Amino acid sequence: MGSLAPLSDLSSSPKETLNLINPNELLNLFKSQQNYLNFFFQNLDLSQTLTFTQALLNAKGTIFFTGVGKSGFVAQKISQTLVSLGIRSRFLSPVDALHGDIGILSKSDLLVFLSKSGNTEELLKLVPCAKAKGVFLISLTSSERNLLTNVCDLNVYLPLERELCPFDLAPVTSTAIQMVFGDTVAIALMGARNLTQDEYAANHPAGRIGKSLIFKEELPVCRERDLIMDQLVELTSKGCGCLLVIDEECHLIGTFTDGDLRRTLKASGEGIFKLTVGEMCHRKPRTIGPDAMAVDAMEKMESPPSPVQFLPVINHQNVLIGIITLHGLVSAGL
């Protein structure tokens, strides 16, 4: 049987040499990618782009996106972006489509092919099947002459100077172009459909403050007649850094923070033992509604004259619903 090497042998082993990135080479790569993207913007045919965007805006059915490999991933992302804007869209795997999923297509649908070359075999096999269903076909390709442009109803050329890859093979610039194009068109559709912030928020419920809301049973609440010193455990044990002062019907009266406690103790000394929370609380605290977005809560916390660490959440009748804290928003990934 083998045995472990003595510690002396291990300690004498040569240290592993780390590979380093040349900062100048890295900077040059970013500059090159920027130049390749600029080539795309400078040579993109606006009339083709406008026709494509209008087609998506006026689609009566579902907008399907399809692609293979990296283009397939981009197709999925663009489709998901449209869905988040309330637009009917789905990704259709070309392989799965040829094994039964083609049945989901109808003549009112659009099918958008993403392909750098426009000659992807799996996509070309899908074309006659989709045509038989009466689907409107659109190609997004980076080759001016390709097989897809010959068989689709609408074609958009996405100008590509070359890939950033030194061999001009790895699809790192072409996919970036596809993504930029798709996302920009999505925002154009967002504007054309007059999508409101509330409508967008309704499609992103996790973006609301409810994800980070602390509800009633965990709230540090007290009455205004309660003595400050009697509420120290409530103030410190809930992890919110404050007391929420309410009346018998849970209407919010004000807030009393650990900072208020320190200032009151400094100013009153032993007199703090006789003071009630209602005498020293802040009666016009910043608050927020339950349907607000997390980003709005963060902005309100950081607004002048000085930042705060929490916001009581109240309804339109000033009834306390919960509390949102800065720590909760950060933990939720805002």
Side-chain angles (χ1 to χ4, degrees):
M1 294 180 62
S3 60
L4 293 174
L7 290 177
S8 58
D9 292 344
L10 292 175
S11 61
S12 62
S13 299
K15 292 184 178 180
E16 182 180 351
T17 302
L18 295 177
N19 294 320
L20 300 176
I21 297 292
N22 185 307
N24 292 326
E25 292 180 0
L26 182 61
L27 178 61
N28 288 335
L29 284 173
F30 277 104
K31 288 182 177 180
S32 295
Q33 184 76 313
Q34 181 182 32
N35 291 334
Y36 298 150
L37 292 176
N38 286 339
F39 176 86
F40 162 74
F41 289 120
Q42 293 164 4
N43 293 278
L44 180 65
D45 189 319
L46 182 59
S47 62
Q48 288 183 354
T49 305
L50 180 59
T51 303
F52 171 73
T53 308
Q54 287 285 163
L56 268 57
L57 179 63
N58 296 305
K60 303 300 181 184
T62 301
I63 303 170
F64 286 90
F65 287 82
T66 188
V68 176
K70 307 299 187 299
S71 294
F73 291 128
V74 176
Q76 292 182 58
K77 195 277 178 187
I78 297 173
S79 176
Q80 290 166 357
T81 298
L82 294 185
V83 170
S84 75
L85 302 179
I87 300 171
R88 289 199 306 275
S89 182
R90 287 189 62 175
F91 172 75
L92 181 65
S93 164
V95 176
D96 292 339
L98 296 175
H99 289 83
D101 284 5
I102 192 76
I104 199 172
L105 296 177
S106 67
K107 63 181 180 181
S108 61
D109 297 332
L110 275 65
L111 179 58
V112 182
F113 295 88
L114 268 75
S115 172
K116 173 186 173 181
S117 68
N119 298 318
T120 308
E121 183 179 356
E122 294 89 341
L123 300 183
L124 292 171
K125 287 182 179 179
L126 179 57
V127 168
C129 304
K131 275 186 172 292
K133 304 277 289 186
V135 179
F136 189 82
L137 306 184
I138 304 173
S139 75
L140 303 180
T141 65
S142 290
S143 174
E144 291 188 275
R145 294 183 180 85
N146 60 73
L147 296 177
L148 272 179
T149 58
N150 295 330
V151 293
C152 287
D153 303 297
L154 173 64
N155 301 293
V156 180
Y157 172 59
L158 305 181
L160 173 67
E161 185 175 8
R162 61 159 289 144
E163 300 285 2
L164 183 63
C165 166
F167 310 120
D168 196 19
L169 294 174
V172 290
T173 304
S174 55
T175 51
I177 286 171
Q178 292 171 343
M179 189 78 78
V180 168
F181 179 83
D183 284 346
T184 305
V185 167
I187 298 305
L189 294 174
M190 183 180 181
R193 290 165 59 92
N194 296 315
L195 188 74
T196 67
Q197 183 174 344
D198 287 342
E199 290 171 331
Y200 181 81
N203 296 330
H204 297 75
R208 294 181 180 272
I209 62 172
K211 184 177 181 181
S212 308
L213 189 61
I214 300 173
F215 292 99
K216 283 185 180 179
E217 58 272 13
E218 301 171 335
L219 293 179
V221 296
C222 69
R223 309 294 185 186
E224 58 180 329
R225 63 180 177 274
D226 293 337
L227 292 174
I228 291 176
M229 299 308 291
D230 290 343
Q231 296 300 315
L232 288 184
V233 174
E234 189 74 5
L235 175 62
T236 58
S237 64
K238 297 295 179 68
C240 297
C242 69
L243 291 170
L244 302 174
V245 189
I246 59 174
D247 63 16
E248 286 72 13
E249 297 178 341
C250 283
H251 294 108
L252 181 68
I253 295 174
T255 61
F256 184 82
T257 68
D258 47 12
D260 293 328
L261 175 64
R262 290 190 295 271
R263 286 187 287 271
T264 302
L265 182 59
K266 183 177 181 180
S268 304
E270 293 183 0
I272 194 172
F273 289 96
K274 297 180 180 180
L275 293 175
T276 65
V277 178
E279 291 177 283
M280 304 306 297
C281 73
H282 177 50
R283 291 182 176 264
K284 291 184 178 180
R286 296 179 208 178
T287 60
I288 198 164
D291 294 326
M293 297 291 288
V295 66
D296 295 329
M298 181 72 81
E299 182 177 341
K300 201 164 191 176
M301 287 183 186
E302 295 176 343
S303 62
S306 60
V308 296
Q309 300 294 310
F310 65 90
L311 292 173
V313 181
I314 59 174
N315 65 14
H316 64 285
Q317 295 179 325
N318 195 43
V319 174
L320 181 65
I321 296 174
I323 188 172
I324 187 77
T325 66
L326 180 61
H327 174 74
L329 290 176
V330 172
S331 298
L334 183 64

